[in-house]
């Protein structure tokens, strides 16, 4: 909440599926706010990033992950957080968390298991190699 010198403000941090329309959401929020004499104002907006599972980037990431981790069953996971991947076209965040590791990100004592970090480094190196082999005009 930001102090606006006596002006009341309600802040909402919302996330919604990439299949939803931002415009529809804003229209609904604006209409709901108007019923109470309030006004919708957008403070910030981060456009969603989405690549389908059959996109070459996701397929390459998963192929290398599966080859080097031995994990043949875990499906790719997405995160609703802000990420560096928004800065680059055709990019997704690809994390170092393995399927058997506890979730500790953004928590007290955030940590990782070193052997898993080393495996992630190996996976990253192979992913970079595979993606670098792809002709530029296909990216």
């Amino acid at each position: 909440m930001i102090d606006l010198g006596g002006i009341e403000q309600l802040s909402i941090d919302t996330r919604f599926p990439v299949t939803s329309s931002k415009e529809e959401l804003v229209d609904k929020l604006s209409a709901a706010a108007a019923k109470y004499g309030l006004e919708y104002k957008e403070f910030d907006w981060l456009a969603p990033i989405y690549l389908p599972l059959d996109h070459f980037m996701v397929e390459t990431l998963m192929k290398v992950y599966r080859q080097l981790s031995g994990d043949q069953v875990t499906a790719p996971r997405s995160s609703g957080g802000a990420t560096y991947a928004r800065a680059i076209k055709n990019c997704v965040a690809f994390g170092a968390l393995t399927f058997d590791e506890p979730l500790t990100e953004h928590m007290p004592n955030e940590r990782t298991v070193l052997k898993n970090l080393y495996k992630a480094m190996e996976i990253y190196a192979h992913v970079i190699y595979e993606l670098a082999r792809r002709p530029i005009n296909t990216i």
Side-chain angles (χ1 to χ4, degrees):
M1 186 83 80
I2 300 170
D3 180 10
L4 298 174
I7 299 173
E8 297 296 328
Q9 177 177 328
L10 171 66
S11 297
I12 300 172
D13 179 1
T14 185
R15 297 171 188 198
F16 55 92
V18 296
T19 55
S20 297
S21 161
K22 176 192 173 201
E23 291 73 24
E24 285 180 30
L25 178 64
V26 167
D27 289 347
K28 289 179 181 180
L29 285 172
S30 297
K35 288 180 186 178
Y36 299 96
L38 302 173
E39 180 181 354
Y40 170 87
K41 287 189 179 182
E42 190 172 299
F43 172 72
D44 194 14
W45 164 252
L46 292 173
I49 54 173
Y50 171 76
L51 293 178
L53 291 176
D54 63 353
H55 188 278
F56 81 87
M57 180 77 69
V58 178
E59 287 180 340
T60 302
L61 293 170
M62 290 307 297
K63 178 185 90 175
V64 172
Y65 169 78
R66 292 198 188 296
Q67 287 173 345
L68 296 176
S69 72
D71 176 8
Q72 302 300 313
V73 296
T74 302
R77 291 188 283 181
S78 64
S79 166
T83 172
Y84 60 87
R86 294 177 188 281
I88 304 169
K89 183 180 175 186
N90 286 333
C91 188
V92 293
F94 184 58
L97 188 67
T98 59
F99 67 95
D100 60 347
E101 194 169 352
L103 298 173
T104 63
E105 69 271 9
H106 307 304
M107 297 176 146
N109 197 24
E110 182 174 349
R111 63 199 177 280
T112 190
V113 177
L114 278 179
K115 72 177 180 78
N116 292 351
L117 184 60
Y118 297 144
K119 178 55 76 175
M121 290 166 49
E122 179 185 10
I123 291 169
Y124 295 155
H126 284 267
V127 161
I128 291 167
Y129 173 78
E130 288 297 323
L131 292 174
R133 294 178 52 206
R134 190 173 182 90
I136 297 253
N137 62 348
T138 63
I139 295 178

